[in-house]
Amino acid sequence: MLAILNSRSGGPEVLEAGEVDDPVPGSAEVLIDVAAAGMNHADLSQRAGGYPPPPGAPAWLGMEVSGTIAHVGVDVVGWSVGDEVCALLPGGGYAERVAVHASLVLPRPEGVSLVDAAALPEAAATVWSNVFMLGELAADETLLVHGGTSGIGSMAIQVARALGADVITTVGSAAKVSFVESLGARGLNYHEADFVEEVKAATDGHGADVILDLVGGDYLPRNVSALAVGGRVMVIANQSGEPSTFALGSLMMKRGRIHGTTIRPRPLAEKAAIIAGVRENVWPLIEGGAVRPVVDHVLPLAEAAEAHRQLEAGGHIGKFLLRVR
């Protein structure tokens, strides 16, 4: 089958189409004919050599797909050949077919195209596990999201608003402020505003109860300053690439918590529990129209290198997808 390979680490130019063996699904797995693959910043890091796949995962990129089930393992229940689905993967999504444990598969939501469904698994799983399972965001609380126009950021805004929370988000342009405000969040242009002061003003000095941080670096001490008493900071990426330091006493006085998390390396049982939570809590919001995937670009699989260039350049709103068929 065709897959996008990187035989060496480097820039987008190292990505090349090549032939690999078809995956052989195990007894608890399904085989999916891929319609589209979602792209994530973790893919960029893996391509550059900074985020190797977990043991047993395919060497090529791709942590989420949508498609049609072509084979069902003998121990699988609840899925049939021909089902339209999307799935969270440990790797290998930039390809024509993938094998994945059945517990990491989700049905294509009603009202979402099969291609666009590839934008959902990673963002929904990240938001549900961090903001709600660990962050315990409640309906009367305030969520601060850094990077509100990313796939994860736009998902966090929509789910939090649908479940009754207030949302403030940092973005990098006036156009992005307008977009996040169309989703129900208060947008802050970080080139023009100090998010610590703006959050305090918007919450009458209370601060943000949960902060979802994709930036890292010097955002960590500022997050602690913007945090409410008893607040939770969820650090899911360090896109700045910079180290972080903060005054420990400030966190202690606020009785705050900082969680650093990833999903990909977790044991299967933990990921399966996250996916079950997504299906129970997020999927009804999508099918009811309160939450939708936000897709910026859909490019052919063969143009993966160009898609990586555009994603790295920034300026996009939502997800990049690679169409396979």
Side-chain angles (χ1 to χ4, degrees):
M1 69 173 182
L2 184 69
I4 301 299
L5 310 175
N6 56 306
S7 57
R8 66 189 191 282
S9 300
E13 69 280 356
V14 304
L15 298 178
E16 297 178 341
E19 290 290 326
V20 297
D21 293 337
D22 278 18
V24 179
S27 62
E29 295 182 324
V30 300
L31 181 69
I32 299 174
D33 285 335
V34 176
M39 292 177 55
N40 295 278
H41 277 275
D43 298 341
L44 309 184
S45 181
Q46 181 178 335
R47 186 208 69 219
Y51 192 27
W60 47 97
L61 309 177
M63 301 193 302
E64 58 186 340
V65 297
S66 61
T68 304
I69 292 180
H71 174 83
V72 175
V74 295
D75 294 331
V76 172
V77 295
W79 299 110
S80 301
V81 171
D83 286 347
E84 293 187 340
V85 298
C86 54
L88 185 71
L89 309 173
Y94 290 16
E96 293 180 311
R97 283 173 288 281
V98 297
V100 58
H101 197 276
S103 64
L104 303 182
V105 179
L106 291 156
R108 175 186 63 80
E110 291 294 331
V112 177
S113 72
L114 187 57
V115 168
D116 283 357
L120 292 171
E122 182 71 22
T126 298
V127 169
W128 186 253
S129 63
N130 285 281
V131 176
F132 296 94
M133 293 176 71
L134 287 173
E136 299 177 325
L137 182 70
D140 60 347
E141 292 187 320
T142 297
L143 170 67
L144 171 62
V145 180
H146 294 303
T149 55
S150 66
I152 289 171
S154 59
M155 176 67 66
I157 292 169
Q158 294 180 86
V159 176
R161 292 294 295 134
L163 296 179
D166 291 326
V167 183
I168 303 170
T169 183
T170 59
V171 293
S173 69
K176 290 185 175 183
V177 168
S178 296
F179 175 76
V180 297
E181 290 185 345
S182 75
L183 298 181
R186 173 172 177 162
L188 304 176
N189 186 336
Y190 57 75
H191 294 298
E192 300 174 352
D194 179 345
F195 76 78
V196 175
E197 296 304 319
E198 293 289 339
V199 167
K200 289 179 178 179
T203 59
D204 295 326
H206 175 79
D209 299 285
V210 177
I211 300 177
L212 185 64
D213 184 13
L214 296 78
V215 180
D218 67 0
Y219 269 45
L220 184 57
R222 298 167 70 193
N223 286 336
V224 173
S225 295
L227 197 64
V229 173
R232 293 80 73 193
V233 180
M234 312 305 301
V235 182
I236 62 172
N238 184 23
Q239 292 179 9
S240 70
E242 299 298 323
S244 299
T245 60
F246 66 97
L248 186 59
S250 298
L251 183 67
M252 295 168 65
M253 289 296 292
K254 291 187 174 182
R255 302 188 300 279
R257 289 178 280 162
I258 297 176
H259 293 264
T261 72
T262 59
I263 291 180
R264 192 185 194 190
R266 294 191 191 192
L268 175 62
E270 291 186 19
K271 291 189 283 189
I274 293 169
I275 292 299
V278 166
R279 185 167 184 175
E280 178 180 356
N281 297 282
V282 181
W283 248 229
L285 301 177
I286 297 172
E287 295 187 328
V291 175
R292 62 180 176 86
V294 178
V295 177
D296 187 285
H297 269 71
V298 181
L299 286 81
L301 180 65
E303 296 181 19
E306 176 58 26
H308 273 231
R309 291 187 189 96
Q310 293 186 29
L311 183 59
E312 285 183 323
H316 56 282
I317 292 177
K319 299 276 287 192
F320 275 68
L321 305 180
L322 297 173
R323 182 190 292 271
V324 179
R325 54 171 58 84

